[in-house]
Amino acid sequence: MANLTKSSEPNLRVAIAGLGPIGKKVAEALDEGIDGLTLAAVSAQNPAKHHNWLGSLKKQPAVLPIEKLSDVADIAIECAPAKLLRSIVAPFVEQGKTAIVLSAGALLENEDLIDIARKNGGQIVVPTGALIGLDAVTAAAVGEIHSVRMVTRKPVNGLAGAPFLVENNIDIETIKEPLKIFDGTAREAAKGFPANLNVAVALSLAGIGPDRTRLEIWADPALTRNVHRVEVDSDAAKFSMSIENIPSENPKTGRITALSVIALLCKQRAPLRVGT
């Protein structure tokens, strides 16, 4: 986990909001050691639930309410329900600090946070997460992207309970074959599938925005992995990419999401950075 050389700069203090599968995985990596970073604090809805796990760490971080995290940390990692995004991110960017956001879909309902970050020298970072090729999309967006289309296929239990399904009385629990349940924009998908499609919003933010990025969602009872395929047409390149993500303990989230956050943290003080 350690980088090639240690920095003489003071360690960056990291706070994690949310101790689900992603938050715990990232906390354990920080506890094991990432050069130049230290786990300063965590926040959880029910801290007592995580008492034994916290006791297993080499160095226990402070356990604080969300509103206190910015007092003790330079970087926040948002691993919490989307409704809490603003309360986690705002205090950090208001102080010119960094917030790493996993609930990218919630950013579309809190776009003023970007202006707050701009005015105060803060930064909101959306990690690669469960998608590949965001560097290529970001590069293509410097020129002109003509179209971006994403097709997502997920196991039924990874989509069950999504607001879009409930509001439209779509029953996927008993389907026997793949069923297309959504075709629209990334912005619409973020509202209808807030726990499922942060990846589509990340793609849209890297490219041509949530209103021009098109998305299909399929429920597939035969799948055990989350499958994403993206097609991009731009003046610099035409390319497609696909990935099959193994779900974490939370069927709505892939294991690679936590690993992408850890990789991002490793870049903070690394002597070599690969990728945009």
Side-chain angles (χ1 to χ4, degrees):
M1 189 61 64
N3 293 321
L4 300 179
T5 185
K6 292 185 179 294
S7 170
S8 59
E9 298 179 64
N11 279 0
L12 291 169
R13 301 165 300 166
V14 180
I16 298 175
L19 291 178
I22 297 174
K24 283 185 174 179
K25 184 79 172 179
V26 175
E28 288 165 356
L30 285 161
D31 189 57
E32 284 295 318
I34 297 178
D35 286 347
L37 280 72
T38 186
L39 178 60
V42 298
S43 181
Q45 185 174 3
N46 183 4
K49 175 183 175 182
H50 306 287
H51 177 76
N52 291 339
W53 175 80
L54 287 164
S56 71
L57 298 178
K58 295 177 182 177
K59 183 180 179 182
Q60 288 195 42
V63 181
L64 301 173
I66 285 173
E67 60 269 17
K68 297 291 185 181
L69 294 178
S70 62
D71 295 339
V72 301
D74 308 297
I75 299 173
I77 305 175
E78 176 270 312
C79 304
K83 63 183 179 181
L84 297 177
L85 177 132
R86 189 175 194 88
S87 61
I88 297 164
V89 173
F92 277 83
V93 296
E94 285 170 353
Q95 297 177 49
K97 297 179 178 181
T98 297
I100 297 172
V101 168
L102 296 184
S103 300
L107 273 179
L108 300 185
E109 298 177 2
N110 294 275
E111 291 184 270
D112 64 306
L113 288 173
I114 300 171
D115 292 328
I116 293 172
R118 183 183 297 111
K119 291 175 183 176
N120 294 283
Q123 188 175 49
I124 298 171
V125 180
V126 179
T128 302
L131 200 61
I132 59 175
L134 287 190
D135 271 8
V137 177
T138 302
V142 175
E144 182 181 356
I145 295 178
H146 306 306
S147 65
V148 178
R149 186 167 188 88
M150 176 176 170
V151 178
T152 287
R153 299 176 183 272
K154 286 198 169 194
V156 170
N157 65 347
L159 292 163
F164 181 86
L165 300 180
V166 174
E167 291 166 8
N168 291 279
N169 296 314
I170 300 174
D171 180 15
I172 62 172
E173 303 288 345
T174 58
I175 61 173
K176 303 298 183 184
E177 56 186 32
L179 175 68
K180 183 166 74 170
I181 56 175
F182 178 85
D183 190 340
T185 68
R187 187 183 298 277
E188 293 165 341
K191 292 180 180 179
F193 301 86
N196 304 94
L197 272 302
N198 290 308
V199 61
V201 176
L203 172 66
S204 75
L205 294 175
I208 54 177
D211 297 311
R212 291 180 59 201
T213 301
R214 302 294 303 182
L215 177 68
E216 283 183 26
I217 304 173
W218 291 72
D220 190 336
L223 290 180
T224 57
R225 300 183 178 188
N226 303 324
V227 181
H228 306 295
R229 180 174 177 82
V230 178
E231 296 182 352
V232 179
D233 184 15
S234 78
D235 61 355
K238 185 174 183 178
F239 54 95
S240 61
M241 47 203 173
S242 61
I243 186 170
E244 297 183 13
N245 294 320
I246 300 172
S248 66
E249 292 90 332
N250 177 352
K252 295 178 172 61
T253 305
R255 292 184 189 178
I256 200 169
T257 302
L259 301 182
S260 76
V261 176
I262 295 168
L264 172 62
L265 292 174
C266 288
K267 286 184 176 183
Q268 300 307 302
R269 290 284 175 81
L272 171 66
R273 291 186 62 158
V274 179
T276 302

